[in-house]
Amino acid sequence: AYLEEGEAEKTKNHLEFVINGSEANLKGSAFHQLGNLYFRLDNLKSAKQHYQEAVNYYTNNEQYDELGNVYNLWASVYTQEKDFKTALPYFEKSIEINAKHLNFKELGKTFHNLRVLVSEGMSFKNQKVYYETLLEKENFKAAEAFIAHNLG
């Protein structure tokens, strides 16, 4: 809410208060939201640092519901930097997590963002080969319909 009003500093202070406070179950979300805030402010280095903290927290606490989303956003930061080679493994990790946990909403978002990267960073021939390679990965079976759609 603060960001929409142009008050990013208040949002940042609130989230840092949560991280430093006693509400342990909210820390992962606070790191995640700080990453989002910095991404929107185009402070990509800080966004990546906070996404790393969110991944660490979510992984250590076995909170997988948002983990795929963080990897998707982290990959999107690299895509914005035109670092396609680095972004790909983050997108793939997001797909793997979301497919494993049947989080189809996030899976759709990840494929949308991946399609942007692939269309900007690869020739059509390489795009087709890349999507076919994804279909062969065991952890991506739940994502097969999304992959097949992107091939078509």
Side-chain angles (χ1 to χ4, degrees), residues 120-132:
E120 286 184 24
M122 294 182 187
S123 69
F124 180 75
K125 181 180 176 183
N126 287 343
Q127 291 176 33
K128 188 172 191 300
V129 170
Y130 177 71
Y131 285 125
E132 288 170 346

Side-chain angles (χ1 to χ4, degrees), residues 79-141:
T79 301
Q80 186 167 323
E81 294 176 328
K82 304 293 187 209
D83 187 353
F84 303 131
K85 186 177 180 179
T86 303
L88 274 175
Y90 289 93
F91 279 128
E92 291 175 3
K93 188 68 173 173
S94 177
I95 292 167
E96 179 182 331
I97 291 165
N98 287 320
K100 181 178 179 180
H101 297 282
L102 304 176
N103 190 343
F104 296 112
K105 179 179 175 184
E106 289 302 327
L107 194 57
K109 289 178 188 178
T110 301
F111 270 104
H112 170 78
N113 293 337
L114 176 62
R115 191 172 194 163
V116 170
L117 174 141
V118 169
S119 66
E120 286 184 24
M122 294 182 187
S123 69
F124 180 75
K125 181 180 176 183
N126 287 343
Q127 291 176 33
K128 188 172 191 300
V129 170
Y130 177 71
Y131 285 125
E132 288 170 346
T133 302
L134 284 181
L135 278 171
E136 295 172 5
K137 294 185 177 187
E138 184 61 35
N139 291 333
F140 291 25
K141 293 299 181 193

Side-chain angles (χ1 to χ4, degrees), residues 4-146:
E4 292 173 7
E5 298 168 13
E7 298 182 20
E9 193 64 30
K10 284 184 182 180
T11 302
K12 183 177 140 245
N13 290 339
H14 173 73
L15 292 169
E16 288 175 350
F17 177 78
V18 170
I19 289 169
N20 296 318
S22 61
E23 292 293 326
N25 61 329
L26 299 177
K27 287 184 181 186
S29 180
F31 284 125
H32 185 168
Q33 295 308 316
L34 272 170
N36 293 346
L37 173 67
Y38 285 118
F39 191 8
R40 290 180 71 183
L41 295 173
D42 208 31
N43 184 339
L44 303 182
K45 181 178 179 182
S46 290
K48 289 185 283 191
Q49 289 171 340
H50 285 87
Y51 289 146
Q52 176 66 63
E53 291 289 338
V55 164
N56 292 345
Y57 184 86
Y58 288 145
T59 302
N60 291 338
N61 292 283
E62 299 180 359
Q63 296 179 352
Y64 301 108
D65 52 326
E66 292 295 324
L67 187 59
N69 178 259
V70 175
Y71 275 108
N72 178 30
L73 292 165
W74 202 352
S76 296
V77 171
Y78 284 111
T79 301
Q80 186 167 323
E81 294 176 328
K82 304 293 187 209
D83 187 353
F84 303 131
K85 186 177 180 179
T86 303
L88 274 175
Y90 289 93
F91 279 128
E92 291 175 3
K93 188 68 173 173
S94 177
I95 292 167
E96 179 182 331
I97 291 165
N98 287 320
K100 181 178 179 180
H101 297 282
L102 304 176
N103 190 343
F104 296 112
K105 179 179 175 184
E106 289 302 327
L107 194 57
K109 289 178 188 178
T110 301
F111 270 104
H112 170 78
N113 293 337
L114 176 62
R115 191 172 194 163
V116 170
L117 174 141
V118 169
S119 66
E120 286 184 24
M122 294 182 187
S123 69
F124 180 75
K125 181 180 176 183
N126 287 343
Q127 291 176 33
K128 188 172 191 300
V129 170
Y130 177 71
Y131 285 125
E132 288 170 346
T133 302
L134 284 181
L135 278 171
E136 295 172 5
K137 294 185 177 187
E138 184 61 35
N139 291 333
F140 291 25
K141 293 299 181 193
E144 191 168 352
F146 285 106

